[in-house]
Amino acid sequence: MSCALRVAGLRFSYPDGTSVLDGVDLSIGHGERVALLGPNGAGKTTLLLHLIGVLTAADGTIEVGEVELRKESLQEVRSRIGLVFQDPDDQLFMPTVRQDVAFGPANYGLRGDELSNRVRRSLEEVDSFELAERAPHHLSGGERRRVAIATVLAVRPQVLVLDEPTANLDPAGRRELAELLETIETTQLIVTHDLPFALRLCRRSLIMSEGRIVADGVTADLLADTALMAANRLELPHGFELSGA
């Protein structure tokens, strides 16, 4: 299987010597939707910052498609991987939704009708074209989340990375977001503490702990492994039962 995203031997330490990534290895195939799970402090956020080139590893490689992340390929890699931040307000800063969604592709040179069509298609992909002229700060939490996803889809990434996408969403918002992500064909890496959400959306999950990928398998199987869950400080909500468990 060809890979949309491959990480090999990634290592990173803070200047004080604290190791954060300790040889991260993972690969995600084109069209896969994969969850990245793990306790706080596992290194998940640090890994995401490496994927978009904000941090640079001491060792290891990152490839998006066939392009390896290097200083000279940074812009190309950033055009291939789109990160949706945990807080939509970190991505929405223009006066209108339309302007926010246009911002990325305009920076890559799109103009005129091509840009207008890209904005329309991206908002339609998240069922939000009717919000185009609204001010982002007047939207509900779920609406802002969808628009934030549209801003990333507008640059047509090969890999969509979502950081804690259900944060601050009510149950209806979580359900609507899951239904939306199920319709998006772009390869997805979903970083989440929301284990039922991961179970619904992702057949495959990775568990990260102490800077390494410690498990990689079928989501339902990993969540049913009580020893693995306990060892990595992961817990299903009280009363939640795995189907067939």
Side-chain angles (χ1 to χ4, degrees):
M1 178 175 60
S2 62
C3 288
L5 174 65
R6 186 194 307 274
V7 178
L10 208 64
R11 298 182 185 276
F12 176 80
S13 298
Y14 287 124
D16 65 2
T18 302
S19 176
V20 187
L21 302 180
D22 185 23
V24 175
D25 296 295
L26 65 88
S27 61
I28 299 175
H30 291 284
E32 274 197 291
R33 188 185 302 116
V34 178
L36 179 62
L37 313 175
N40 290 334
K44 302 186 300 298
T45 298
T46 301
L47 174 60
L48 296 191
L49 294 176
H50 278 79
L51 296 182
I52 59 173
V54 173
L55 295 176
T56 302
D59 293 295
T61 59
I62 296 170
E63 294 178 6
V64 183
E66 303 301 320
V67 179
E68 182 176 341
L69 176 59
R70 299 176 181 273
K71 184 176 181 180
E72 58 270 21
S73 64
L74 178 59
Q75 288 306 114
E76 182 174 1
V77 169
R78 283 181 173 171
S79 73
R80 290 170 174 247
I81 189 164
L83 175 60
V84 180
F85 293 103
Q86 178 173 337
D87 186 348
D89 291 340
D90 290 338
Q91 285 178 272
L92 305 177
F93 51 87
M94 299 293 282
T96 69
V97 165
R98 183 187 300 278
Q99 290 169 295
D100 263 320
V101 178
F103 184 85
N107 277 349
Y108 284 106
L110 266 65
R111 296 290 186 271
D113 289 345
E114 189 176 9
L115 179 59
S116 297
N117 291 337
R118 178 71 63 85
V119 170
R120 171 182 281 275
R121 288 198 303 272
S122 300
L123 283 170
E124 287 176 344
E125 284 181 84
V126 299
D127 195 26
S128 298
F129 184 68
E130 74 281 1
L131 303 177
E133 306 308 327
R134 297 274 301 277
H137 62 277
H138 288 164
L139 304 179
S140 70
E143 289 170 336
R144 287 200 302 273
R145 182 77 62 188
R146 295 203 307 273
V147 170
I149 293 171
T151 67
V152 175
L153 292 177
V155 298
R156 293 297 180 257
Q158 294 183 13
V159 180
L160 181 64
V161 179
L162 300 107
D163 186 15
E164 298 293 350
T166 62
N168 301 317
L169 292 182
D170 59 22
R174 291 171 64 255
R175 174 183 54 75
E176 291 166 356
L177 178 62
E179 291 170 350
L180 168 64
L181 293 178
E182 287 171 336
T183 70
I184 295 175
E185 297 181 357
T186 306
T187 303
Q188 297 173 38
L189 176 63
I190 301 176
V191 181
T192 184
H193 286 98
D194 189 337
L195 302 185
F197 188 79
L199 180 63
R200 169 173 177 167
L201 277 173
C202 304
R203 182 181 184 278
R204 176 185 170 210
S205 287
L206 311 169
I207 295 179
M208 190 171 186
S209 182
E210 297 181 348
R212 294 179 294 114
I213 302 298
V214 298
D216 178 350
V218 176
T219 303
D221 294 344
L222 297 182
L223 299 189
D225 187 334
T226 54
L228 177 68
M229 293 280 283
N232 292 286
R233 298 181 56 80
L234 295 173
E235 294 185 7
L236 287 161
H238 180 70
F240 183 89
E241 292 187 7
L242 292 166
S243 177

